[in-house]
Amino acid sequence: PPWFPPIAGQHPAYTARQLMAWKKGDRANDPQKLMAFTAQQLTDEEIQAVAAYLATLELPARKAVTK
């Protein structure tokens, strides 16, 4: 299955910049185009609100990988 990096707990300015880059097409490292499609549906104000909300979430603890 695809791996998705966690976005919870990121600094809101960073998240907003990345969403704006996907929205404008300046960022293209999204093979399934999920982030680009989502960002293009948001207004600039919604991007700021989403970024602020995500910053309030705790980053989930990583599970140990065993072989």
Side-chain angles (χ1 to χ4, degrees), residues 62-67:
R62 289 186 167 195
K63 295 180 182 178
V65 177
T66 58
K67 291 185 180 185

Side-chain angles (χ1 to χ4, degrees), residues 1-3 14 16 22 24 30 37 42 46 50 55 62-63 66:
W3 179 81
Y14 171 79
W22 274 307
K24 294 177 181 178
D30 182 15
F37 176 80
L42 300 172
E46 289 170 329
V50 167
R62 289 186 167 195
K63 295 180 182 178
T66 58

Side-chain angles (χ1 to χ4, degrees), residues 19 22-23 25 27 30 33-41:
L19 287 169
W22 274 307
K23 181 178 179 174
R27 184 166 178 175
D30 182 15
K33 309 281 189 251
L34 297 173
M35 292 302 293
F37 176 80
T38 301
Q40 289 166 0
Q41 308 309 306

Side-chain angles (χ1 to χ4, degrees), residues 2-61:
W3 179 81
F4 298 102
I7 57 175
Q10 294 286 348
H11 192 280
Y14 171 79
T15 302
R17 275 194 310 272
Q18 302 317 304
L19 287 169
M20 289 301 292
W22 274 307
K23 181 178 179 174
K24 294 177 181 178
D26 294 336
R27 184 166 178 175
N29 63 332
D30 182 15
Q32 296 175 324
K33 309 281 189 251
L34 297 173
M35 292 302 293
F37 176 80
T38 301
Q40 289 166 0
Q41 308 309 306
L42 300 172
T43 66
D44 292 356
E45 293 79 18
E46 289 170 329
I47 285 176
Q48 296 300 321
V50 167
Y53 169 72
L54 290 171
T56 69
L57 302 177
E58 289 189 33
L59 186 62

